[in-house]
């Protein structure tokens, strides 16, 4: 499948989940610190919808050119929408093919998969991520070394080995677990540690 088809499938899968949630569940804290389900949904919607340069520049100026502040403000503003409106925006944006400057479709896929798990894990709503999507997301996230996503530094000197699909990355002390758990650990989520094992687990844990 084309990358954008995979992105749309992940967004629709998340929308299917969101449609089943109670108002209390919409206000559950996610694995993204400080963000409730509605805030993280707002972040995904904002990322999916086409962001005009004027609006982007205005948001950057307003946040003092601090990207985390800008993203947090946008997520909370979008998340403050009435639940039916936010749900509608999430469903409508599933097929959108827009990216932020410097972001590729594969980055949108990995973000959607990771943030979907940020929502699903606290809610106790697991799912089987399609293998192709999971493999692509693992490869992408393991290669990120920017300040915003310091994943390469986090997993340096470790060999990550999935137990449910044919995927390994790196060399060194071994860390084993499901592909989903490895993905979340690469992304810095401490909640995934309980699903990991191997001699390199303690090293990885110290870096999260």
């Amino acid at each position: 499948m084309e990358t954008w088809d995979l992105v749309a499938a992940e967004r629709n899968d998340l929308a299917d989940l969101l449609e089943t949630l109670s108002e209390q569940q919409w206000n559950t804290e996610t694995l993204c610190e400080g963000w409730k389900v509605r805030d993280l949904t707002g972040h995904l919607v904002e990322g999916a919808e086409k962001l005009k340069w004027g609006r982007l520049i205005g948001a950057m100026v307003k946040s003092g050119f601090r990207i985390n502040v800008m993203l947090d403000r946008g997520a909370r503003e979008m998340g403050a929408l009435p639940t039916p409106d936010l749900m509608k925006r999430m469903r409508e944006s599933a097929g959108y093919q827009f990216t932020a400057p410097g972001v590729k479709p594969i980055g949108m896929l990995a973000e959607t998969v990771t943030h979907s798990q940020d929502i699903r894990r606290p809610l106790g709503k697991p799912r089987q991520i399609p293998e192709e999507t999971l493999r692509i997301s693992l490869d992408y996230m393991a290669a990120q070394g920017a300040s915003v996503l310091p994943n390469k530094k986090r997993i340096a000197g470790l060999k990550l080995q999935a137990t449910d699909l044919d995927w390994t990355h790196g060399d060194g002390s071994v860390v084993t677990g499901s592909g989903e758990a490895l993905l979340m650990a690469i992304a810095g989520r401490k909640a995934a540690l309980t699903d990991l094992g191997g001699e390199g687990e303690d090293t990885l844990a110290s870096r999260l």
Side-chain angles (χ1 to χ4, degrees), residues 38-116:
R38 61 174 53 260
D39 301 320
L40 189 43
T41 301
H43 172 68
L44 288 171
V45 170
E46 187 175 50
E49 295 181 345
K50 188 173 184 179
L51 188 61
K52 296 181 180 179
W53 273 103
R55 179 182 167 194
L56 175 61
I57 293 173
M60 290 179 65
V61 171
K62 189 176 181 180
S63 63
F65 294 93
R66 293 170 293 174
I67 187 170
N68 286 336
V69 173
M70 181 183 73
L71 293 176
D72 184 65
R73 179 179 285 115
R76 293 181 188 280
E77 289 178 354
M78 188 73 73
L81 292 173
T83 302
D85 295 343
L86 183 56
M87 183 66 249
K88 183 173 182 289
R89 295 275 285 271
M90 181 68 208
R91 182 67 78 181
E92 289 178 347
S93 66
Y96 290 175
Q97 298 185 5
F98 306 119
T99 65
V103 180
K104 296 181 179 180
I106 190 173
M108 301 297 287
L109 176 62
E111 178 186 47
T112 305
V113 173
T114 303
H115 283 329
S116 292

Side-chain angles (χ1 to χ4, degrees), residues 10 13-14 30-31 40 111-123 125-129 180-181 183-184 189:
E10 289 302 301
D13 180 87
L14 179 57
T30 70
L31 296 186
L40 189 43
E111 178 186 47
T112 305
V113 173
T114 303
H115 283 329
S116 292
Q117 295 306 116
D118 286 331
I119 289 172
R120 283 181 172 276
R121 275 178 167 261
L123 289 174
K125 301 282 187 179
R127 69 174 286 237
Q128 185 67 41
I129 303 170
E180 184 271 345
L183 177 69
M184 299 306 286
R189 283 20 176 208

Side-chain angles (χ1 to χ4, degrees):
M1 293 177 67
E2 296 293 332
T3 303
W4 279 120
D5 293 330
L6 298 176
V7 173
E10 289 302 301
R11 289 171 176 166
N12 276 314
D13 180 87
L14 179 57
D16 290 342
L17 170 68
L18 295 173
E19 286 178 343
T20 71
L21 301 185
S22 65
E23 196 66 22
Q24 181 179 1
Q25 289 173 313
W26 272 92
N27 290 301
T28 298
E29 294 290 331
T30 70
L31 296 186
C32 291
E33 186 176 356
W35 282 2
K36 300 177 181 178
V37 170
R38 61 174 53 260
D39 301 320
L40 189 43
T41 301
H43 172 68
L44 288 171
V45 170
E46 187 175 50
E49 295 181 345
K50 188 173 184 179
L51 188 61
K52 296 181 180 179
W53 273 103
R55 179 182 167 194
L56 175 61
I57 293 173
M60 290 179 65
V61 171
K62 189 176 181 180
S63 63
F65 294 93
R66 293 170 293 174
I67 187 170
N68 286 336
V69 173
M70 181 183 73
L71 293 176
D72 184 65
R73 179 179 285 115
R76 293 181 188 280
E77 289 178 354
M78 188 73 73
L81 292 173
T83 302
D85 295 343
L86 183 56
M87 183 66 249
K88 183 173 182 289
R89 295 275 285 271
M90 181 68 208
R91 182 67 78 181
E92 289 178 347
S93 66
Y96 290 175
Q97 298 185 5
F98 306 119
T99 65
V103 180
K104 296 181 179 180
I106 190 173
M108 301 297 287
L109 176 62
E111 178 186 47
T112 305
V113 173
T114 303
H115 283 329
S116 292
Q117 295 306 116
D118 286 331
I119 289 172
R120 283 181 172 276
R121 275 178 167 261
L123 289 174
K125 301 282 187 179
R127 69 174 286 237
Q128 185 67 41
I129 303 170
E131 183 172 326
E132 179 184 9
T133 295
L134 181 55
R135 191 185 303 278
I136 291 172
S137 299
L138 280 164
D139 286 339
Y140 175 84
M141 293 296 282
Q144 300 309 300
S147 59
V148 177
L149 292 174
N151 301 346
K152 290 175 68 175
K153 182 178 180 181
R154 190 175 289 130
I155 61 176
L158 298 174
K159 180 178 181 179
L160 309 183
Q161 185 172 316
T163 56
D164 57 347
L165 73 159
D166 184 17
W167 185 86
T168 60
H169 178 87
D171 293 296
S173 300
V174 176
V175 179
T176 62
S178 68
E180 184 271 345
L182 289 172
L183 177 69
M184 299 306 286
I186 292 170
R189 283 20 176 208
K190 292 182 180 180
L193 290 173
T194 57
D195 300 321
L196 300 178
E199 60 186 18
E201 180 188 355
D202 288 344
T203 298
L204 180 58
S206 70
R207 299 173 180 175
L208 300 188

